[in-house]
Amino acid sequence: MKKFFIAPSILSADFARLGENIQEVLDAGADMIHFDVMDNHYVPNLTFGPMVLQSLRKYKISSPIDVHLMVNSVDSLIPVFAASGADFITFHPETSSNINETLNLIKKYGCKAGLAVNPDTSIDHLKRFFNKLDLILLMSVNPGFPGQKFIPSVLNKIYQLNQYIRNVFPNILLEVDGGININNFYDIAQAGANILVMGSAIFYAADYRKTIQFMKSKLSILC
């Protein structure tokens, strides 16, 4: 049975009451939290660091947290994010001088490891690392800012990657992030995504529970 996970991205949360707002979407049925880390170098935006993650754990946010590192020199940040409460740590291959060593480092610190792939990046040269992965994150927008539109060509990429990992590495979770909303989430899941990262589609909804339960009801058809 295929499992689906709704993962609100805190980029769209209310930072004046971050812990409370995240707990609200979890209570409404969200499964995990997506934590986007940007350094204003790898991507043209600056977000937050491990202290924010640590504060969420102190607030008693207990759901799985997927830390998506959009930063240069990822290795130095892995130990501190792991210590702050990350469950998954995902990075872009071009930010590591040695992808195998970075994946090993994530595992060493007790986290599940993921690779993130930008819309224009081929997955072919990354397949040799798949045996070490728990998660593959396909970006469906160019990383950096929330509120962008889903790039339609990524849908075929999701399908092709799902066909490959389903037959060869069935335990890898396939995550998609960027422009997912109430109108396209079903098509993205049907193409093969397990984890749907959604920001404004959830945090800007008038009723979190109604929105999440509607999506889960539709996704149950695919299970």
Side-chain angles (χ1 to χ4, degrees):
M1 180 178 292
K2 191 175 181 69
K3 293 184 178 180
F4 297 97
F5 304 92
I6 303 295
S9 168
I10 67 170
L11 274 180
S12 299
D14 182 354
F15 274 78
R17 54 184 196 93
L18 184 59
E20 180 184 359
N21 198 198
I22 290 173
Q23 191 60 59
E24 287 170 352
V25 296
L26 291 170
D27 290 344
D31 302 294
M32 58 194 297
I33 295 300
H34 192 75
F35 194 95
D36 286 309
V37 181
M38 306 181 193
D39 65 355
N40 199 34
H41 292 284
Y42 178 66
V43 292
N45 196 3
L46 182 65
T47 57
F48 27 75
M51 290 181 65
V52 175
L53 175 55
Q54 189 176 57
S55 72
L56 293 179
R57 292 307 193 193
K58 288 181 178 179
Y59 189 82
K60 306 301 183 185
I61 299 297
S62 59
S63 72
I65 295 181
D66 169 28
V67 173
H68 176 197
L69 296 178
M70 289 171 275
V71 302
N72 290 326
S73 303
V74 291
D75 289 7
S76 62
L77 290 175
I78 288 168
V80 67
F81 272 104
S84 297
D87 294 286
F88 294 83
I89 296 180
T90 303
F91 67 98
H92 292 255
E94 58 269 27
T95 66
S96 169
S97 59
N98 188 309
I99 295 172
N100 269 316
E101 289 184 3
T102 300
L103 291 170
N104 290 337
L105 188 63
I106 293 172
K107 301 281 191 176
K108 174 184 175 181
Y109 282 94
C111 295
K112 295 182 178 180
L115 277 178
V117 182
N118 288 335
D120 293 332
T121 301
S122 170
I123 62 170
D124 290 338
H125 69 287
L126 301 179
K127 288 181 178 178
R128 66 185 185 275
F129 304 109
F130 282 11
N131 64 321
K132 292 188 174 182
L133 295 181
D134 301 290
L135 181 150
I136 299 171
L137 169 56
L138 283 182
M139 294 299 299
S140 45
V141 298
N142 292 308
F145 290 93
Q148 299 182 64
K149 291 184 178 181
F150 182 87
I151 298 174
S153 60
V154 175
L155 203 61
N156 188 54
K157 196 172 188 177
I158 298 168
Y159 176 80
Q160 291 180 342
L161 180 56
N162 177 61
Q163 293 300 304
Y164 178 77
I165 64 175
R166 185 175 64 182
N167 294 322
V168 185
F169 301 103
N171 292 324
I172 294 179
L173 293 169
L174 180 51
E175 182 176 32
V176 179
D177 180 8
I180 303 177
N181 57 46
I182 205 74
N183 297 313
N184 63 15
F185 78 94
Y186 186 84
D187 292 337
I188 294 165
Q190 190 174 40
N194 296 103
I195 304 174
L196 303 175
V197 178
M198 306 175 76
S200 56
I202 291 179
F203 281 109
Y204 295 175
D207 188 321
Y208 297 154
R209 184 173 297 278
K210 183 177 180 181
T211 300
I212 292 171
Q213 294 309 314
F214 169 78
M215 291 189 290
K216 288 197 166 186
S217 176
K218 293 280 286 184
L219 292 172
S220 67
I221 300 171
L222 300 175
C223 292

